[in-house]
Amino acid sequence: MTETTSATQEWQEWHQQRLETVTAPYGPLSVTGTHWLLDADSEGRLPQTPGRWQPAPDGSGVVLRADIMDGLVVDGELLVGEAVLGRDSGGPSRSRVSFGERRLELLNREGQWAVRVHDPDAPARRAFPGIRTASYDGRWVRPGRFRPYEAPRGVRVPNADGRERTLELGGQVSFATPDGRPQALQVSVVGSRALWAVFTDGSSGRGTYRFRFLRTGAPDPDGAVTVDFNRATLPPCAFSDHFLCPFPPPGNTLAAEIPVGERDISS
């Protein structure tokens, strides 16, 4: 097996895993609503969501009140009365609250609480046509260099829900296109020092979704990192309008066209 064949097969396996994640029962296609407690009525009721949801007095969590007719289950038990909940971690599969087959995931963004509804029977999941993805091209696996900022920088950027929030940036990754043009992206540092960027390029909005995400592994101690645009992905808001995806920060609009990776939802 040649090195090129091995890399292509690894990418094909990654692509298949990605499709399985997107189409999973509680994947991004299952999201039918993100409801902010700030918008609840005077009793704490949210649209198409049973129970009464109110922030805890100290803001550290959410007080959920329900009766037997609401049919809400918390930690596997029917809730009759009230429960104090915190932000869910680990995704909807680990959310503490369910309603039939639906999972109700608690989010907190900049001190504001929201309930995100995941429904395996969501119309978007049933009708999903697939992801239009370019073929693997090894020329777009680029050597890069990560230079961290002295301190993280918070930048206010618009989000897909029309609100503006802070995006924390930890540094910059520089690389060159296959034809030698130097490029750079501001990145966030996530998990075990992996890097994450939100970017647009010369194809965005012209046959490609309006922006994309790119993740890399952790850079070496000297800052060396592999930038593989074959693994550029659509943001969650490409699959459901109820996500809060941040738009690219200043400087993350690449003049070059990135012709690989996920392009858009299939037509």
Side-chain angles (χ1 to χ4, degrees):
M1 181 183 299
T2 66
E3 184 175 342
T4 299
T5 301
S6 176
T8 301
Q9 289 184 349
E10 288 179 5
W11 175 84
Q12 289 172 340
E13 292 171 1
W14 169 86
H15 176 58
Q16 183 59 39
Q17 291 172 356
R18 168 76 174 154
L19 287 174
E20 291 171 359
T21 298
V22 167
T23 59
Y26 298 104
L29 290 165
S30 73
V31 175
T32 59
T34 297
H35 307 297
W36 295 95
L37 270 61
L38 190 66
D39 300 327
D41 67 15
S42 59
E43 294 184 345
R45 297 195 180 276
L46 299 169
Q48 302 177 344
T49 307
R52 290 169 290 158
W53 305 76
Q54 295 176 321
D58 63 359
S60 63
V62 170
V63 178
L64 170 60
R65 298 179 176 88
D67 58 39
I68 195 168
M69 297 302 293
D70 287 316
L72 287 173
V73 172
V74 177
D75 296 333
E77 299 288 340
L78 184 67
L79 178 64
V80 179
E82 70 175 44
V84 179
L85 308 169
R87 182 176 64 87
D88 286 308
S89 59
S93 63
R94 296 188 179 182
S95 61
R96 297 178 59 191
V97 186
S98 60
F99 173 56
E101 293 299 313
R102 300 174 190 174
R103 300 288 177 87
L104 307 182
E105 180 185 14
L106 272 174
L107 312 175
N108 188 290
R109 296 292 186 273
E110 300 187 336
Q112 297 296 326
W113 289 94
V115 178
R116 177 169 290 164
V117 181
H118 295 259
D119 184 355
D121 196 39
R125 183 169 180 259
R126 287 188 277 109
F128 181 58
I131 302 174
R132 185 164 54 82
T133 307
S135 299
Y136 179 83
D137 185 344
R139 294 176 300 173
W140 284 96
V141 181
R142 310 303 303 162
R145 181 72 59 184
F146 172 61
R147 293 180 174 82
Y149 298 139
E150 290 186 4
R153 300 176 183 177
V155 178
R156 300 292 288 181
V157 297
N159 283 207
D161 65 341
R163 305 188 186 190
E164 191 176 87
R165 297 182 180 88
T166 297
L167 178 64
E168 186 173 285
L169 301 170
Q172 186 178 85
V173 169
S174 57
F175 61 95
T177 59
D179 61 2
R181 283 182 287 173
Q183 306 284 321
L185 288 171
Q186 294 195 85
V187 297
S188 301
V189 180
V190 296
S192 56
R193 294 191 67 244
L195 307 178
W196 172 65
V198 188
F199 75 96
T200 62
D201 65 275
S203 69
S204 297
R206 299 187 301 105
T208 304
Y209 192 73
R210 52 185 174 167
F211 61 94
R212 290 185 281 174
F213 287 175
L214 179 69
R215 291 176 172 82
T216 77
D220 292 342
D222 64 355
V225 65
T226 298
V227 183
D228 186 356
F229 282 100
N230 292 281
R231 303 193 185 204
T233 62
L234 299 178
C237 55
F239 305 104
S240 171
D241 292 333
H242 303 289
F243 281 100
L244 319 176
C245 304
F247 289 1
N252 277 23
T253 300
L254 302 176
E257 181 173 334
I258 309 297
V260 292
E262 295 181 354
R263 311 295 286 167
D264 210 338
I265 303 297
S266 298
S267 56

